[in-house]
Amino acid sequence: ILNVEQSPQSLHVQEGDSTNFTCSFPSSNFYALHWYRWETAKSPEALFVMTLNGDEKKKGRISATLNTKEGYSYLYIKGSQPEDSATYLCASYGGSQGNLIFGKGTKLSVKP
Amino acid sequence: KAGVTQTPRYLIKTRGQQVTLSCSPISGHRSVSWYQQTPGQGLQFLFEYFSETQRNKGNFPGRFSGRQFSNSRSEMNVSTLELGDSALYLCASSLGGGFTDTQYFGPGTRLTVL
């Protein structure tokens, strides 16, 4: 069974700090990696879908990179704002699984 | 375009009862997936339906079942409820359920089993 790990579990930063967190996944038979943002009392919202080794995606102050050979993806937030406070989830399609396997998430808190 | 809707939003049941949750996908989406989230756990995949057929199933007991209708709306049923079934149940829809298809999540149904 595919295992997707995220670190750290939680992160507290000050407004204006830049931060990053990691998603690791089995690199064999990899198909795609998804990143979601989940704010409290809302639904998870898709950020990126990534498939190619070396891929880099950007959305405003948030960007993500993908290394499929070693099985990891980084999510970066530049100049964190309080509204970035959320749990960030990654999920991978791979192997014989025909569905997304989610990590437990990184909970980010940004203090004003 | 209307988003994914789930009903009811909150539900309280007692052990041994059964429950049915409903999910209406975004118009035009044919794939619906269901997930369970419990404290300390990530989203655990329950099953995926596409064109009224269960295409994938997660590692959950047979008490968990689902179905999809011709309009792509989906229901999930849990029979003989246990305390451990207390969780947030999310459904997500996508165009075709392919590995690059973005999944759009509903607000979830919070189930409490007493």
Side-chain angles (χ1 to χ4, degrees), chain A residues 78-99:
Chain A
K78 187 177 175 183
S80 302
Q81 299 296 308
E83 58 264 32
D84 296 327
S85 297
T87 296
Y88 291 83
L89 300 171
C90 70
S92 179
Y93 267 109
S96 59
Q97 298 292 319
N99 53 270

Side-chain angles (χ1 to χ4, degrees), chain B:
Chain B
K1 226 179 203 183
V4 179
T5 57
Q6 291 187 245
T7 56
R9 293 291 311 277
Y10 301 91
L11 209 44
I12 300 175
K13 292 284 187 180
T14 55
R15 277 183 300 175
Q17 287 188 308
Q18 76 162 19
V19 67
T20 299
L21 313 181
S22 181
C23 173
S24 292
I26 290 172
S27 177
H29 286 192
R30 296 170 67 191
S31 169
V32 174
S33 297
W34 287 89
Y35 298 89
Q36 180 197 65
Q37 199 212 22
T38 50
Q41 296 296 318
L43 294 176
Q44 303 289 310
F45 173 75
L46 281 154
F47 26 66
E48 184 223 354
Y49 285 86
F50 178 82
S51 290
E52 302 178 67
T53 301
Q54 187 181 87
R55 196 159 59 173
N56 285 297
K57 190 177 191 308
N59 190 25
F60 277 82
R63 299 184 297 106
F64 291 82
S65 63
R67 59 179 176 166
Q68 187 180 35
F69 302 94
S70 58
N71 62 357
S72 293
R73 189 177 70 86
S74 178
E75 286 182 349
M76 187 193 114
N77 185 75
V78 188
S79 62
T80 321
L81 283 166
E82 300 177 359
L83 294 179
D85 297 333
S86 294
L88 178 67
Y89 291 88
L90 289 166
C91 78
S93 75
S94 66
L95 278 170
F99 58 85
T100 59
D101 284 355
T102 296
Q103 294 203 356
Y104 296 85
F105 284 84
T109 294
R110 173 77 61 185
L111 172 65
T112 302
V113 182
L114 302 175

Side-chain angles (χ1 to χ4, degrees), chain A residues 50-65:
Chain A
M50 308 173 81
T51 56
L52 300 175
N53 185 46
D55 206 3
E56 183 170 342
K57 300 259 184 177
K58 192 174 179 182
K59 187 176 183 177
R61 293 178 292 98
I62 304 177
S63 61
T65 60

Side-chain angles (χ1 to χ4, degrees), chain A residues 14-45:
Chain A
Q14 289 292 133
E15 182 175 354
D17 288 350
S18 292
T19 186
N20 66 84
F21 20 94
T22 307
C23 171
S24 61
F25 52 90
S27 55
S28 59
N29 297 320
F30 168 83
Y31 291 107
L33 187 87
H34 294 229
W35 280 101
Y36 289 85
R37 174 170 58 199
W38 195 356
E39 295 178 65
T40 303
K42 293 188 178 180
S43 309
E45 174 195 357

Side-chain angles (χ1 to χ4, degrees), chain A residues 5-18:
Chain A
E5 304 284 346
Q6 291 188 248
S7 61
Q9 268 190 316
S10 64
L11 202 49
H12 296 264
V13 302
Q14 289 292 133
E15 182 175 354
D17 288 350
S18 292

